[in-house]
Amino acid sequence: MRSPLVTHFDAYPDRAQYKPNQSGNLFIELETREDAALQLVVAFSKLERPVAEEKVTIQANKGVKQIVPVPLFLEETVWSGYGVKVTVLREGEVVSTAFTSYDIADHWSRAPRYGFLSDFRSEESGDLRDVESMNKFHLNVIQFYDWMYRHDELVPQQDEFMDPMGREMSYQVVREKLEAVHNKGMAALAYGAVYASLKDFLQARPDWGLYNRRGEPFHLIDLFYIMDITPNSPWTDHIIEQFRQAVQAGFDGIHMDQYGFPKKAIRRIEGLEETVDLAECYPPLIDRTSAAVKEIQAEAGVIFNNVGNYPIRKTASTDQEALYIEVWPPVVRLRELKGLIDNARSLNPEKPIILSAYLPSFYPKAGHDKEWAENGALLTMAAIFASGGYHLLLGEDKGMLTMPYYPDYAVMRPEFEAEVRRYYDFIVRFGTLIHDPRLEDVSYTYTAGVNTEITLEAAVPFAPNGEAGSVWTVIKRKPGYQILQLINLVGLEDDYWEHGKHRRPEPQHGVVCHFLIEQPIETIYAASPDDPNQEVCFLDYEIVPHEQGLAARFVLPALEIWSMVIVKFRE
């Protein structure tokens, strides 16, 4: 809500995430058209419950932007999310409102909202706008992409250097940004390719490489050469030592990258050739790296890139902080993103899941229509988040990843930035209802077909299949809750996640739901990141007959792209 009085109004926490009982502030930015005595009312909520309120009186001066700190509500908790509503009053009348959120966690891996940095030129020195913007999206773990001197020698020995892609880099800037992300409560992971060396490195050590059946070394764009990662190879010892040095230099862990190929290769050892199955090599490499970095810093960790979901079955049980999947065709449809998340969760229910799903529709040189790209992006985010995953997408200064070479990111328009911030506010505030590892997916047993536990009355189909033209129902439950995620795909030309969309889904209104009462209900409420007001909507319900007993009948007022209905049971 804005008024003619207020020309600028924003609210955000001073850190991306807080430790239990760590102090923190909400920053309120305010600028007005005229001098005015104002009262700020800051209301804190935990899920749907109000938990605290602060009131501050200020004197606003015409055209002067003020930043007002207000102490956050904080408590001892393993992991909880909170919503914040800031209301500006003048002589008791509401003139503007703003919303944000924050969370408390004992470790960033409880809720890894993964972001990226990739610009480390000397011109970046002293410019921390990228870190400030990432903080407003609550990104709490940041990958420093291509920060290093070389892929086979990570830590630079001098401040100014040229990276393998020909970029002029500054290690001083790397260190500045490392300190800045730490000051914002973010963890920093150093990018490191597990088997990439430059050509000269391999030429000096030909027995350290991997080869194809023609005896040629495997490589990527004749620049990065694939090295032998078997447990007893000299390269394995070398690269783990490089990872250790990166953590000694101040990083909080390693983003362990691979290229998805080769899957099998030839190694040379003592004049003999031996076939290597790389899927068998990754787990011991991950575990050794994790142990090595934890020797340097107890809370350090690793994330390994399962390119195209390979080899997730082998790596899921290793010692890493999250299960990370870089998404590639043939996974092209929205529902297939959920399939990746569901499969990973079945392999290791305790680990959070991150999808690296690039959005080429935003690629700057492609010249696509911005709104077309933005419409598709919101659906992709909704599909990933509602399915219980996280999305590596945002970073730099309001940048979005468009491809695996991170410097080719795109910058969001201000209008779209505001929408994306609402989506990230939403997953922070309601994280324990969206990403809790205890959540059980019952989508295919509670809605549609022969299932009558949850039925929805509307002119369009509601089903768990995620097809264009329908409303996609994702049903989850955990002790005390049943959660209905609704993703609107009505009116879309297709259900491809990489593509933009010429229009947004057709809004649905007055959706009637019958919910079988399997245990006593305390309350039913709805929330949506599409709502600019970011308010919880408590839903009145009546008890009606059901073929299996009794049902709660309620009406969801509106569904734009993604809405969540929460049924909270009595204890």
Side-chain angles (χ1 to χ4, degrees), residues 9-262:
F9 188 27
D10 196 7
Y12 52 90
D14 63 356
R15 295 171 71 87
Q17 190 174 63
Y18 299 87
K19 295 286 189 179
N21 280 332
Q22 179 182 28
S23 63
N25 285 304
L26 179 75
F27 285 154
I28 301 171
E29 295 182 1
L30 185 69
E31 185 175 329
T32 57
R33 295 184 188 277
E34 59 187 72
D35 295 347
L38 302 174
Q39 184 180 52
L40 306 179
V41 179
V42 183
F44 300 95
S45 59
K46 183 175 183 178
L47 298 179
E48 84 286 5
R49 294 185 298 105
V51 291
E53 184 176 275
E54 296 282 345
K55 294 182 179 179
V56 180
T57 299
I58 64 169
Q59 177 62 44
N61 298 313
K62 177 183 177 180
V64 177
K65 185 172 79 172
Q66 295 188 54
I67 300 179
V68 181
V70 176
L72 290 172
F73 169 81
L74 297 164
E75 62 180 342
E76 180 68 37
T77 179
V78 172
W79 175 38
S80 295
Y82 306 85
V84 185
K85 178 181 180 180
V86 183
T87 305
V88 181
L89 299 101
R90 185 184 194 185
E91 297 179 349
E93 296 291 327
V94 175
V95 296
S96 197
T97 54
F99 300 84
T100 188
S101 62
Y102 62 99
D103 67 342
I104 302 170
D106 56 356
H107 192 271
W108 59 261
S109 61
R110 292 280 182 186
R113 299 180 292 274
Y114 211 4
F116 74 93
L117 286 171
S118 60
D119 291 347
F120 305 107
R121 297 165 292 120
S122 59
E123 294 86 347
E124 291 273 308
S125 182
D127 185 355
L128 301 176
R129 287 176 296 178
D130 44 15
V131 178
E132 294 290 339
S133 72
M134 293 191 303
N135 179 65
K136 292 181 180 180
F137 291 100
H138 319 290
L139 303 179
N140 64 334
V141 53
I142 309 302
Q143 180 190 150
F144 279 54
Y145 176 86
D146 274 10
W147 63 279
M148 61 282 184
Y149 170 55
R150 295 167 51 118
H151 289 60
D152 46 49
E153 184 181 342
L154 300 185
V155 180
Q157 300 304 307
Q158 54 194 25
D159 273 344
E160 303 293 326
F161 63 97
M162 186 82 71
D163 85 349
M165 297 296 286
R167 297 190 304 159
E168 294 182 355
M169 304 279 279
S170 168
Y171 188 41
Q172 176 187 339
V173 170
V174 172
R175 294 193 298 267
E176 283 181 8
K177 293 190 186 293
L178 191 58
E179 180 181 8
V181 301
H182 285 155
N183 289 340
K184 288 295 182 183
M186 306 168 183
L189 298 191
Y191 175 92
V194 299
Y195 53 22
S197 82
L198 299 189
K199 192 172 187 176
D200 61 340
F201 187 96
L202 174 64
Q203 288 174 333
R205 306 163 184 81
D207 286 349
W208 289 26
L210 290 178
Y211 298 82
N212 63 27
R213 291 289 170 179
R214 292 197 298 265
E216 302 162 335
F218 280 105
H219 63 84
L220 180 68
I221 62 173
D222 197 30
L223 184 60
F224 305 116
Y225 282 73
I226 309 301
M227 307 299 283
D228 178 11
I229 59 168
T230 52
N232 62 346
S233 77
W235 168 261
T236 298
D237 292 339
H238 172 82
I239 196 62
I240 290 175
E241 176 57 28
Q242 293 298 308
F243 294 157
R244 289 183 76 260
Q245 290 179 16
V247 174
Q248 284 177 323
F251 286 99
D252 302 294
I254 306 296
H255 177 93
M256 302 176 67
D257 196 19
Q258 55 139 336
Y259 301 143
F261 77 93

Side-chain angles (χ1 to χ4, degrees), residues 382 386 447 454 456 462 471-475 484-489 511 513 528 530 556 558-565:
T447 54
I454 300 175
L456 298 118
F462 282 71
V471 172
W472 183 7
T473 56
V474 177
I475 316 296
L484 172 58
Q485 307 282 6
L486 300 174
I487 302 173
N488 188 4
L489 307 180
V511 177
C513 178
S528 172
D530 304 312
L556 180 66
L559 169 63
E560 294 184 24
I561 296 175
W562 172 27
S563 288
M564 180 171 67
V565 177

